[in-house]
Amino acid sequence: MQKNIKNVKPEAKEKLPANFHIEIDRSKDGLSLSVAGVYSIVDFSEENVILRVKKGRVLVSGTGLSIAVYENKTVEISGRITEVKFV
Amino acid sequence: MIRPDMLLFGYVKYTVKDEDVKTVAELFLKQNISVRFHKNSFFVRDSKSKETDKILGEKIEYEKSEILGFGGFLYKNKKRYGAISALILTFVLFIFSSTRVWDIRVVTSSPEIEKAVISELENAGFSIGSSWRKSDLGKLEVMLLSSSDTVSWININRRGSVAYISVIEKEHHDEPEDKMGYSNLVAASDAVIEEITVIHGEAAVKVGDSVKKGDLLISGVISGEAGGGFCYAEGIVRGRISDTVTVEIPSQRIEKYEKKSSLCDVQLNIFNFSAKIYKYYRNLPSECVIIEKRDDISIFGKRLPFSVLKKYGATYGERVVNLTADEMTGLASLEMQNTLQKKLKDATLLKIRTEAEFLTDRYVMRSNIVYTENIGADLPFDAPNR
């Protein structure tokens, strides 16, 4: 018996955060970088953080990096940040 | 820094493995819960600890501490009323103690000087919240004087918990230039000569002469009768100038207005420490201006070393506004005043006559002025080779 393909529901799409936004402030440890519109944290270590955002992936490099997560898909990275780029 | 509400109401410390920090951060990101990591530990309010246990579940290995902070202390010592009362009293005494700098007041009439001095003091490590004991006021004064471009004398006095800073601003004087080479003095504008005083060179005009821009006033070429040769012509030549200044104000103007302003960041500052309370950048449009606003907290007129820093994302729109006759007149008068002030900065005004008229799409104001000023301008030249 053939399967009725029309009745198969497509998988629900992940609700994507809107409006990618980056802001940088000075902090005691160096810099504090806030990224809004983060889909997921791809990788984290004290030297490199990779975040998945609407426009692709953002790599934040430095030393002594720490992470904070806020409501509404905002991630803050603090420490001695040396480089921020899309990868 | 631990958030003040966590310190007050109690918090729990979770420690996970280093390799699990990314996974845990992602779990909280998806659950829309705010958490700040310190290496491989993070802190949550005691009231949120059950929810956190549920989120971490059995997938993540973690260690959970007992309840910490003031809330934890109260929980552990809930029946020790004497200890709790003593703690509250100690806290109150600490708040009102004078071991810290509570306020800095710069005694000056210039807000720019005040800002510059406070900024230079902060760079030197002295600000609200600094310890009096650790601050050497004499050294600070010396450091500020040697590094400051704006202050020639400074004195820092302590009165109670307030630092009073008296300053004397630096005065800048232009050093007179040593003039080298040869030059003529020529007219910088059309004028009638009112006064001429020759310091070096030979006068080429006399009082009452009409000159055009570029005409020779004092020559750097010395005639044979006076000994010959060349020099750098110097002198004071005042000319009477007639001029017209026109100001036009259109009847419509484009005005910027704030369309929408949303709070996106809140930070609490206590002494030299800051705690981030709230961040919400999600719905900010891509083209917006971030405005920072700092609110200081005072009790009975006494400023406390606490402040709240708020950031707002603001978007602006433009609209066309029709000006009334009074508005156009007011704006035209102000612009005319400013223009004349700049033009006549080094001049002496002799006569002014102003007239104005409303046209279909604008208001025009015209001032006919007569004034005297120094009209000499240097025109260097190379002496011919003999």
Side-chain angles (χ1 to χ4, degrees):
Chain A
M1 195 169 83
Q2 273 188 330
K3 221 178 184 178
N4 186 353
I5 298 165
K6 286 179 193 172
N7 288 339
V8 173
K9 285 181 187 173
E11 281 178 2
K13 279 189 182 170
E14 182 188 336
K15 194 172 179 185
L16 303 175
N19 292 332
F20 165 69
H21 176 102
I22 279 190
E23 191 167 307
I24 298 183
D25 282 315
R26 264 195 214 167
S27 72
K28 275 199 162 188
D29 310 320
L31 290 177
S32 161
L33 178 87
S34 298
V35 184
V38 176
Y39 294 177
S40 65
I41 301 167
V42 175
D43 192 19
F44 171 77
S45 68
E46 284 198 12
E47 289 80 36
N48 290 299
V49 179
I50 303 178
L51 306 172
R52 191 164 73 92
V53 296
K54 186 176 179 180
K55 295 188 181 220
R57 290 182 178 202
V58 175
L59 165 66
V60 180
S61 305
T63 53
L65 301 181
S66 63
I67 197 168
V69 165
Y70 289 90
E71 291 157 19
N72 298 304
K73 313 299 180 197
T74 300
V75 172
E76 183 189 77
I77 299 154
S78 307
R80 292 191 185 279
I81 295 171
T82 54
E83 191 180 18
V84 180
K85 63 181 182 187
F86 279 100
V87 293
Chain B
M1 186 190 166
I2 310 260
R3 272 169 42 179
D5 62 320
M6 287 192 191
L7 278 173
L8 193 58
F9 298 111
Y11 65 96
V12 178
K13 179 179 173 182
Y14 286 79
T15 307
V16 298
K17 288 186 195 165
D18 284 344
E19 54 267 24
D20 285 337
V21 169
K22 171 200 139 336
T23 311
V24 173
E26 185 137 344
L27 280 170
F28 284 115
L29 184 76
K30 286 188 171 17
Q31 295 292 329
N32 273 335
I33 295 174
S34 294
V35 143
R36 175 173 286 276
F37 285 83
H38 300 267
K39 300 235 184 239
N40 61 338
S41 302
F42 60 92
F43 307 96
V44 295
R45 278 270 297 268
D46 175 46
S47 55
K48 294 262 184 196
S49 66
K50 280 189 183 154
E51 194 182 345
T52 307
D53 291 339
K54 214 172 144 187
I55 291 168
L56 296 177
E58 287 169 20
K59 292 175 265 186
I60 307 289
E61 270 183 49
Y62 61 90
E63 277 174 28
K64 183 176 163 183
S65 72
E66 54 181 6
I67 305 173
L68 303 169
F70 185 64
F73 172 80
L74 286 178
Y75 179 78
K76 281 182 258 180
N77 300 285
K78 50 187 179 260
K79 293 199 177 159
R80 294 186 189 169
Y81 303 114
I84 292 169
S85 308
L87 197 70
I88 293 170
L89 189 63
T90 307
F91 179 71
V92 169
L93 282 173
F94 172 73
I95 289 293
F96 286 99
S97 78
S98 57
T99 59
R100 295 261 165 187
V101 178
W102 284 69
D103 198 7
I104 297 175
R105 293 175 199 173
V106 182
V107 182
T108 175
S109 55
S110 162
E112 289 85 20
I113 297 281
E114 185 182 344
K115 262 188 196 164
V117 167
I118 289 179
S119 169
E120 282 163 21
L121 280 171
E122 277 175 9
N123 290 339
F126 184 78
S127 60
I128 289 176
S130 297
S131 165
W132 283 112
R133 200 168 46 85
K134 290 182 187 166
S135 303
D136 186 333
L137 301 183
K139 262 192 189 164
L140 273 172
E141 287 168 4
V142 167
M143 205 183 330
L144 277 168
L145 274 177
S146 57
S147 63
S148 174
D149 293 330
T150 50
V151 163
S152 64
W153 177 83
I154 189 164
N155 177 246
I156 306 175
N157 266 318
R158 177 185 172 181
R159 286 182 225 165
S161 54
V162 177
Y164 284 89
I165 300 168
S166 308
V167 297
I168 293 178
E169 293 169 45
K170 258 187 193 169
E171 283 179 17
H172 295 279
H173 298 284
D174 291 327
E175 293 288 332
E177 266 180 56
D178 285 333
K179 294 186 177 176
M180 306 283 288
Y182 310 113
S183 176
N184 287 325
L185 198 72
V186 300
S189 55
D190 299 353
V192 173
I193 305 295
E194 289 270 311
E195 177 196 326
I196 177 164
T197 306
V198 177
I199 299 171
H200 292 118
E202 283 190 355
V205 294
K206 58 183 187 306
V207 172
D209 285 351
S210 247
V211 295
K212 295 261 177 232
K213 184 176 176 178
D215 283 355
L216 185 66
L217 300 174
I218 299 176
S219 175
V221 178
I222 311 295
S223 61
E225 296 143 5
F230 306 97
C231 72
Y232 202 104
E234 268 186 274
I236 299 166
V237 184
R238 287 192 76 83
R240 190 171 74 245
I241 301 167
S242 297
D243 201 355
T244 303
V245 177
T246 305
V247 164
E248 290 187 11
I249 302 291
S251 57
Q252 284 184 338
R253 72 167 178 211
I254 295 179
E255 194 179 75
K256 255 190 172 173
Y257 67 97
E258 195 181 274
K259 258 193 207 166
K260 193 180 169 191
S261 172
S262 336
L263 180 67
C264 57
D265 202 319
V266 179
Q267 193 175 303
L268 177 65
N269 297 322
I270 304 172
F271 289 110
N272 288 337
F273 305 105
S274 63
K276 294 201 196 313
I277 304 293
Y278 173 79
K279 262 185 195 298
Y280 187 94
Y281 286 100
R282 186 180 174 192
N283 288 335
L284 285 185
S286 52
E287 302 242 339
C288 74
V289 173
I290 304 286
I291 299 167
E292 277 189 19
K293 191 180 162 212
R294 188 179 131 159
D295 295 320
D296 294 318
I297 300 169
S298 306
I299 291 181
F300 306 119
K302 193 176 169 70
R303 206 173 89 182
L304 299 177
F306 311 126
S307 63
V308 178
L309 181 70
K310 292 180 193 168
K311 288 186 189 175
Y312 296 87
T315 50
Y316 291 87
E318 286 182 348
R319 61 186 169 204
V320 174
V321 170
N322 288 321
L323 297 175
T324 62
D326 282 346
E327 282 173 337
M328 285 197 279
T329 315
L331 286 169
S333 299
L334 193 63
E335 196 176 318
M336 179 64 78
Q337 191 184 334
N338 289 337
T339 308
L340 287 175
Q341 233 169 8
K342 278 185 202 156
K343 198 176 184 62
L344 303 174
K345 193 171 60 135
D346 298 316
T348 306
L349 182 65
L350 297 177
K351 198 162 71 171
I352 179 167
R353 191 169 137 250
T354 302
E355 54 197 25
E357 59 177 335
F358 284 98
L359 301 176
T360 40
D361 59 345
R362 61 192 190 281
Y363 176 72
V364 179
M365 184 181 274
R366 244 174 244 107
S367 284
N368 298 311
I369 52 175
V370 178
Y371 60 98
T372 59
E373 71 171 358
N374 193 346
I375 58 167
D378 294 337
L379 185 67
F381 64 87
D382 293 325
N385 292 324
R386 286 185 186 174

